[in-house]
Amino acid sequence: MSDVISERAKNIEPSITLSLNTKANNLREAGADVVGLAAGEPDFETPAVIKKAAYEAIEQGKTRYTPAAGISPLREAIAEMYSKRLGLPYEGSEVMISNGAKHSIFNALYVLTNPGDEVMIFTPYWVSYPVMVKLVGAKPRIVELNADNDYKLTPERLKAEVAKSKPKVILYNSPNNPAGIVYSAEEVEAIGRILHREGISLISDEIYEFLTYKDNKHYSPVSLVPELKESTVVITGVSKSYAMTGWRIGFALSSSEVIYRMSAYQAHATGCPNAISQWAALTAVKEGAEEREMMRVEFEKRKEMFGERLSKISSVTFPDPGGAFYFLVDVSSMYERCGVSGSGEFCEKLLKEKGLLLIPGGPFGCDNTVRFSFASSEKILNNALDRFENFVEDYTG
Ligand code: PMP
Ligand code: GLU
């Protein structure tokens, strides 16, 4: 069997976020008393007006291949919306639609890197980043950031890392998965200026752009340093903002030259994104703002409640998430008492003893942590916290 699988594919393992989410669902369906805070997806229904656009697209026969880069009305609508939002002009030819933001990132990595090029990634990172970098033949360079500075990259640290060796691309994510880090305007601008001066390309993953809380605001590096436009691919999409994870629509914005190559690659790799979902996404972009904001407000309420309860639990620490829908919690002070050696074993023990499924921080580059998603109802969140508190008491009480 080992001869059948290529060297290239031998080390690919399933995504832990997706597989643990499936595990929680399967256990529940089998009747187990399990609460899962694994899901990195909104628990809301896709808004009715968006669903209606999809039914209409089917009825109107909009069910064929579309242009590889996506349907023109959607590319134009995104260009118009983001020209305003980012404060610099984008044309439809500078926008491309893919099968989810994950796919957009993959396409961008393929087009921006040569085999062996370094892509700088910061901990805590989304699990798929290093894998995607390796899949396109480039080399992930992991830069460890820690909780002392709320896992934030400082301009000084960036300069020091670049001085050691200059990466071809930086993969940056704000609001961040898994710690909810949101960079301020000053921080984004300082980082952006360094990238521009050093001639480093940027993939800016802004998929959680609309999910920010309290005083935190999202700033895209290109809006604060417009000179970055040509060397930056801004990634976003409808999955998180409009509760459309299963529709698989992501967007990339860059120069027309980069977008042209990305769409040529996509044309050969997958043809085009799903036609029906693109028409639905058009309605999301044009008419979904009110529902999007309602969901954000609900997430903010849950975050406050969850953070308040979590902060009362001894033995754990966490940065207050400014965005996205995750808490990244340092549980390492409990490892010895629980008899575990890291986050994976900690999560296994928690599942076995209390029926609570969380995502270990190890695959995000932070083995001292576990990730809680607060994209669930208050009832489920409270049930999960009861179980977690109980577990902590068992080992500290
Ligand atoms: N980037 C980050 C940081 C994410 O958490 C996700 C979640 N899946 C994505 C990109 C991809 O989103 P999509 O579902 O649109 O592929
Ligand atoms: N991004 C989400 C998460 O981190 C969804 C799962 C995935 O695509 O990895 O849980």
Side-chain angles (χ1 to χ4, degrees), residues 40-54 74 77-82 85 97 101 206-213 235-251 253 277-297 299 324-325 375:
E41 61 179 342
D43 57 322
F44 300 107
E45 276 286 313
T46 304
V49 62
I50 300 174
K51 286 187 191 167
K52 184 160 165 267
L74 180 56
I78 293 167
E80 194 187 324
M81 172 176 169
Y82 282 88
R85 189 163 162 77
I97 322 299
E206 305 179 17
I207 189 73
Y208 296 99
E209 59 174 318
F210 288 106
L211 290 174
T212 56
Y213 311 117
I235 305 282
T236 183
V238 292
S239 295
K240 318 288 177 175
S241 308
Y242 304 92
M244 292 180 71
T245 48
W247 298 73
R248 310 309 303 129
I249 294 291
F251 321 140
L253 294 99
S277 294
Q278 290 188 67
W279 289 102
L282 178 60
T283 297
V285 167
K286 289 193 149 171
E287 297 173 40
E290 209 174 303
E291 301 248 21
R292 183 185 72 210
E293 177 58 12
M294 270 163 49
M295 291 188 269
R296 189 202 66 76
V297 168
F299 281 129
F325 34 61

Side-chain angles (χ1 to χ4, degrees), residues 276-324:
I276 299 147
S277 294
Q278 290 188 67
W279 289 102
L282 178 60
T283 297
V285 167
K286 289 193 149 171
E287 297 173 40
E290 209 174 303
E291 301 248 21
R292 183 185 72 210
E293 177 58 12
M294 270 163 49
M295 291 188 269
R296 189 202 66 76
V297 168
E298 183 57 31
F299 281 129
E300 181 157 357
K301 253 172 52 200
R302 294 174 186 180
K303 178 199 103 70
E304 290 300 312
M305 180 283 285
F306 199 85
E308 209 178 302
R309 270 196 74 180
L310 202 55
S311 63
K312 294 197 179 113
I313 301 177
S314 62
S315 319
V316 303
T317 55
F318 57 91
D320 187 35

Side-chain angles (χ1 to χ4, degrees), residues 67-83 86 88-98 104 229 232-237 249-264 266 273 278 285:
I71 54 172
S72 294
L74 180 56
R75 295 176 77 193
E76 295 296 338
I78 293 167
E80 194 187 324
M81 172 176 169
Y82 282 88
S83 296
L86 298 173
L88 76 163
Y90 280 93
E91 305 280 330
S93 60
E94 295 172 316
V95 174
M96 171 173 155
I97 322 299
S98 296
S104 305
K229 179 179 170 182
T232 298
V233 182
V234 173
I235 305 282
T236 183
I249 294 291
F251 321 140
L253 294 99
S254 189
S255 68
S256 56
E257 203 188 335
V258 169
I259 293 297
Y260 176 80
R261 298 293 169 195
M262 281 174 59
S263 84
Q266 177 159 289
Q278 290 188 67
V285 167

Side-chain angles (χ1 to χ4, degrees), residues 186-382:
E186 296 71 35
E187 291 163 337
V188 175
E189 184 171 352
I191 291 170
R193 297 248 166 256
I194 297 171
L195 298 184
H196 184 246
R197 200 166 52 238
E198 296 285 346
I200 299 168
S201 305
L202 172 66
I203 298 177
S204 181
D205 181 353
E206 305 179 17
I207 189 73
Y208 296 99
E209 59 174 318
F210 288 106
L211 290 174
T212 56
Y213 311 117
K214 291 208 294 204
D215 302 336
N216 293 281
K217 256 188 91 182
H218 170 69
Y219 296 96
S220 175
V222 291
S223 50
L224 297 175
V225 188
E227 304 90 311
L228 281 176
K229 179 179 170 182
E230 302 290 307
S231 56
T232 298
V233 182
V234 173
I235 305 282
T236 183
V238 292
S239 295
K240 318 288 177 175
S241 308
Y242 304 92
M244 292 180 71
T245 48
W247 298 73
R248 310 309 303 129
I249 294 291
F251 321 140
L253 294 99
S254 189
S255 68
S256 56
E257 203 188 335
V258 169
I259 293 297
Y260 176 80
R261 298 293 169 195
M262 281 174 59
S263 84
Y265 176 62
Q266 177 159 289
H268 293 291
T270 62
C272 65
N274 178 297
I276 299 147
S277 294
Q278 290 188 67
W279 289 102
L282 178 60
T283 297
V285 167
K286 289 193 149 171
E287 297 173 40
E290 209 174 303
E291 301 248 21
R292 183 185 72 210
E293 177 58 12
M294 270 163 49
M295 291 188 269
R296 189 202 66 76
V297 168
E298 183 57 31
F299 281 129
E300 181 157 357
K301 253 172 52 200
R302 294 174 186 180
K303 178 199 103 70
E304 290 300 312
M305 180 283 285
F306 199 85
E308 209 178 302
R309 270 196 74 180
L310 202 55
S311 63
K312 294 197 179 113
I313 301 177
S314 62
S315 319
V316 303
T317 55
F318 57 91
D320 187 35
F325 34 61
Y326 309 105
F327 278 85
L328 190 71
V329 178
D330 190 331
V331 289
S332 61
S333 73
M334 295 176 61
Y335 287 172
E336 210 180 309
R337 276 171 283 165
C338 294
V340 300
S341 63
S343 60
E345 285 180 18
F346 182 89
C347 288
E348 273 170 34
K349 202 171 173 75
L350 189 56
L351 179 61
K352 198 161 146 233
E353 294 180 11
K354 301 293 170 194
L356 173 60
L357 195 143
L358 304 177
I359 305 262
F364 297 92
C366 282
D367 200 38
N368 53 326
T369 63
V370 293
R371 188 189 81 172
F372 293 75
S373 158
F374 56 90
S376 290
S377 68
E378 286 206 22
K379 190 165 163 231
I380 294 174
L381 294 176
N382 275 312

